[in-house]
Amino acid sequence: AQSVTQLGSHVSVSEGALVLLRCNYSSSVPPYLFWYVQYPNQGLQLLLKYTTGATLVKGINGFEAEFKKSETSFHLTKPSAHMSDAAEYFCAVSVETSYDKVIFGPGTSLSVIP
Amino acid sequence: SAVISQKPSRDICQRGTSLTIQCQVDSQVTMMFWYRQQPGQSLTLIATANQGSEATYESGFVIDKFPISRPNLTFSTLTVSNMSPEDSSIYLCSVSGGTGEETQYFGPGTRLLVL
């Protein structure tokens, strides 16, 4: 069965610093991969997704992620953190089709220090 | 992307009662899902709501506790039955298939507190 792990339940970065949120997945077949963001007291918003094709995926708000099959990873990065990036970030995987149910990782809470 | 609304947005309920949560989408969608997010936790899939057939429940969730309806392609309800404090969570509806993109979109969630 597929699963998702996120290293670091809480990450703190300084404003302007690189953001790196780690995600590793377990899947026996090529996965569809997603990053969602949840701002305080709000629902989930899709940041970016990988389905097929280019392994470097660009999303909203300056975020990007790279699918590395050999490492079974899909880490999320942003070159320069902004205060508004403080939120909970969830990595997720869907195996059969991208319409199928999505399995979420435990989440990483990002804090941005002024 | 689909616009999803949920009602109520939040509620405080007494132990032993039931609450029905509504999920409305602004366009027809193939798949609708219900998730639970317990305090400080990630999202856990409760069930897939299929139009015209019974919902498909994940391990650990049963129809008697979480009955689901899907009367058409734009609407679904989730009932949390015989509630206990352990049911205090955020309940989220998501949709996919038919929005023109291969993506799940989430509603704003319903915040439930059971006393």
Side-chain angles (χ1 to χ4, degrees):
Chain A
Q2 61 271 30
S3 64
V4 179
T5 57
Q6 293 181 239
L7 183 62
S9 59
H10 189 91
V11 171
S12 292
V13 300
S14 298
E15 189 174 17
L18 172 71
V19 176
L20 171 60
L21 304 182
R22 299 178 186 275
C23 172
N24 288 88
Y25 67 91
S26 170
S27 173
S28 59
V29 298
Y32 293 88
L33 296 159
F34 309 85
W35 275 99
Y36 285 88
V37 60
Q38 185 177 37
Y39 296 103
N41 297 315
Q42 295 188 29
L44 269 73
Q45 181 180 8
L46 180 70
L47 274 178
L48 49 80
K49 62 182 179 182
Y50 168 79
T51 53
T52 59
T55 57
L56 181 62
V57 180
K58 296 186 183 299
I60 62 172
N61 301 337
F63 284 94
E64 63 181 36
E66 186 172 11
F67 169 58
K68 292 186 176 181
K69 184 178 179 181
S70 61
E71 299 178 6
T72 61
S73 68
F74 191 58
H75 302 329
L76 181 71
T77 60
K78 181 175 181 178
S80 177
H82 192 274
M83 295 297 294
S84 61
D85 294 327
E88 189 82 17
Y89 291 81
F90 294 97
C91 183
V93 61
S94 174
V95 175
E96 297 186 17
T97 72
S98 60
Y99 293 171
D100 200 28
K101 61 187 181 185
V102 175
I103 306 300
F104 282 84
T108 297
S109 177
L110 176 66
S111 298
V112 181
I113 304 167
Chain B
S1 63
V3 177
I4 306 165
S5 60
Q6 288 186 230
K7 291 182 180 179
S9 60
R10 61 179 66 237
D11 207 342
I12 301 173
C13 300
Q14 296 298 317
R15 180 195 302 259
T17 63
S18 298
L19 176 72
T20 295
I21 302 168
Q22 298 179 4
C23 177
Q24 179 74 54
V25 191
D26 68 342
S27 59
Q28 293 186 342
V29 293
T30 305
M31 310 288 283
M32 297 184 79
F33 305 89
W34 286 98
Y35 289 82
R36 181 175 73 181
Q37 186 179 23
Q38 295 177 300
Q41 305 282 323
S42 185
L43 283 79
T44 301
L45 181 65
I46 297 172
T48 303
N50 306 307
Q51 197 267 334
S53 63
E54 286 194 0
T56 304
Y57 289 83
E58 297 300 305
S59 176
F61 297 97
V62 296
I63 187 171
D64 289 346
K65 176 67 175 177
F66 297 102
I68 288 171
S69 77
R70 177 88 191 271
N72 57 51
L73 293 175
T74 64
F75 186 78
S76 178
T77 67
L78 169 76
T79 299
V80 186
S81 302
N82 188 25
M83 288 184 286
S84 67
E86 291 72 32
D87 294 319
S88 298
S89 296
I90 301 173
Y91 292 86
L92 297 106
C93 167
S94 75
V95 305
S96 68
T99 62
E101 299 179 46
E102 295 179 338
T103 300
Q104 276 197 30
Y105 292 97
F106 284 80
T110 295
R111 287 160 176 75
L112 172 62
L113 176 63
V114 183
L115 303 177

